[in-house]
């Protein structure tokens, strides 16, 4: 018998690794990557449907915008009048600070703009009748009967149509009302200016009334202090006929005379401020001066049709493109018999709103 030749295996040599499994085409398996060329190919295949979808939506939105009536903007430019009287305080740093703090309500541009958006002011405008019409402003704005409009919606409905802007360099305030009815827009702006004036006047008079009461009490206190100081000085003079200079009695006499001068000064200031407060309480302080009234012919506002149409077209194009890409990706995954995808599709087919037909149409099966 001939000896059998067996291969000699060294104990230190590792066995060969398992062979790599190859696909049917003999190539190694590679991870699937998203390629730009594939995305562009899908978009190119469906470009006609995407463009038609985007164009139809753009045309639909443009048609809806064209059907809406154009709005007319009624604007008025006003300037606040700062005529609040300040208290007569000493010309010192403390007096200046106290004067600024006690100057009261000032008709600044910011304050006037805030008044124009107060609920009480807007309610007053909403309840005003429209000249030459048998309806109120709120009825003309909402196109509803007064009984059908809740009272708490009066101010919000008016505020939706208003816009205020402040020019801090010139100190002016511009009030704009935009409505499809040019006459109603003009009425709202004019009534709003008058309501702001009345609101400012009421605030000024209310402040002045409270100030009159406070200053009256202050005058009474200053008068009593002055009478007490004068009585003390008279009593001292009656008891001391001769007062030698540089004596303790002379020092006491100077102190009493200074008290009288201070009390008279305080009383004079209190009287002046009381008269100023009384003048505020009875005067009609205008808050606004109209610089640019509402013109007779209002210019209609543009609808922005071109911008809205282009924006709708671009948005619809993006949505249609995303839909096509997602549909193609889902169809490819489903065709590869992925277990998770198959389970998801079977779950979607059982949904009542989608069903088998919807899923099969989306996956093109």
């Amino acid at each position: 018998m001939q000896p059998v030749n067996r291969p000699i295996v060294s104990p230190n040599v590792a066995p060969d690794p398992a062979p790599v499994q190859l696909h049917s085409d003999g190539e190694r398996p590679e991870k699937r990557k998203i390629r730009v060329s594939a995305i562009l190919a899908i978009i190119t295949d469906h470009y006609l449907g995407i463009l038609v979808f985007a164009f139809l939506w753009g045309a639909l939105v443009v048609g809806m915008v064209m059907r809406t009536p154009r709005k007319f903007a009624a604007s008025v430019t006003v300037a606040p009048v700062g005529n609040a009287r300040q208290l007569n305080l000493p010309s010192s740093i403390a007096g200046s600070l106290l004067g600024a703090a006690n100057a009261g309500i000032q008709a600044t541009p910011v304050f006037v703009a805030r008044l124009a958006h107060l609920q009480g002011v807007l309610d007053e405008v909403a309840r005003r009748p429209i000249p030459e019409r048998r309806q109120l402003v709120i009825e003309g704005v909402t196109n509803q009967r007064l009984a059908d409009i809740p009272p708490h919606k009066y101010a919000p409905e008016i505020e939706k149509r208003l816009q205020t802007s402040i020019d801090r360099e010139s100190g002016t305030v511009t009030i704009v009302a935009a409505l499809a009815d040019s006459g109603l827009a003009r009425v709202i702006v004019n009534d709003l200016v008058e309501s702001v004036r009345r609101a400012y006047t009421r605030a000024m008079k209310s402040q002045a009334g409270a100030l009159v009461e406070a200053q009256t009490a202050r005058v009474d206190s200053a008068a009593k202090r002055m009478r007490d100081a004068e009585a003390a000085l008279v009593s001292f003079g009656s008891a001391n006929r001769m007062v030698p200079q540089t004596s303790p009695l002379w020092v006491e006499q100077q102190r009493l005379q200074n008290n009288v001068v201070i009390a008279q000064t305080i009383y004079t200031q209190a009287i002046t401020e009381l008269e100023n407060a009384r003048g505020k309480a009875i005067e009609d302080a205008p808050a606004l001066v109209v610089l640019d009234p509402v013109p007779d012919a209002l210019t209609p506002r543009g609808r922005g049709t071109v911008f809205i149409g282009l924006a709708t077209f671009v948005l619809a194009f993006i949505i249609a493109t995303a839909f096509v890409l997602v549909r193609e990706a889902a169809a490819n995954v489903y065709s590869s018999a992925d277990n998770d995808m198959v389970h998801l599709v079977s779950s979607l087919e059982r949904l009542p709103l989608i069903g088998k037909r919807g899923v099969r149409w989306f996956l093109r099966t």
Side-chain angles (χ1 to χ4, degrees), residues 91-153:
S91 58
S92 60
I93 297 178
S96 300
L97 294 176
L98 291 175
N102 295 287
I105 299 174
Q106 297 290 334
T108 61
V110 177
F111 182 71
V112 171
R114 184 69 185 91
L115 282 179
H117 289 275
L118 290 181
Q119 183 174 0
V121 174
L122 296 177
D123 281 342
E124 185 177 352
V125 174
R127 299 175 187 273
R128 293 290 300 275
I130 303 176
E132 302 179 358
R133 298 187 191 179
R134 295 182 178 179
Q135 61 178 181
L136 302 181
V137 170
I138 188 62
E139 293 178 307
V141 169
T142 59
N143 293 324
Q144 298 178 1
R145 296 183 305 173
L146 184 63
D148 299 334
I149 309 172
H152 66 274
K153 290 187 177 180

Side-chain angles (χ1 to χ4, degrees), residues 47-78:
Y47 80 95
L48 185 59
I50 295 175
L51 290 178
V52 170
F53 178 82
F55 178 79
L56 289 178
W57 270 102
L60 177 63
V61 172
V62 168
M64 294 176 60
V65 172
M66 293 294 293
R67 289 178 61 87
T68 58
R70 302 185 68 177
K71 292 184 178 181
F72 294 85
S75 63
V76 60
T77 301
V78 297

Side-chain angles (χ1 to χ4, degrees), residues 30 36 87 188 214 224 247 271-272 282 285 326 355-356 364:
E30 295 182 358
V36 178
L87 302 180
I188 289 177
K224 182 178 180 300
S247 65
I271 287 292
T272 302
I282 63 175
V326 171
K356 282 188 177 183
R364 296 184 302 177

Side-chain angles (χ1 to χ4, degrees), residues 260-324:
V260 171
V261 173
I262 293 174
Q264 290 176 347
T265 303
I266 294 176
Y267 179 76
T268 302
Q269 290 181 355
I271 287 292
T272 302
E273 294 168 7
L274 175 61
E275 293 303 320
N276 290 339
R278 288 175 176 173
K280 280 185 184 180
I282 63 175
E283 73 179 355
D284 292 331
L288 302 176
V289 173
V290 178
L291 301 179
D292 186 15
V294 182
D296 296 334
L298 301 182
T299 304
R301 278 186 170 182
R303 299 189 184 95
T305 308
V306 176
F307 175 77
I308 295 176
L310 290 177
T312 305
F313 179 85
V314 173
L315 181 61
F317 184 88
I318 294 174
I319 293 174
T321 304
F323 175 81
V324 169

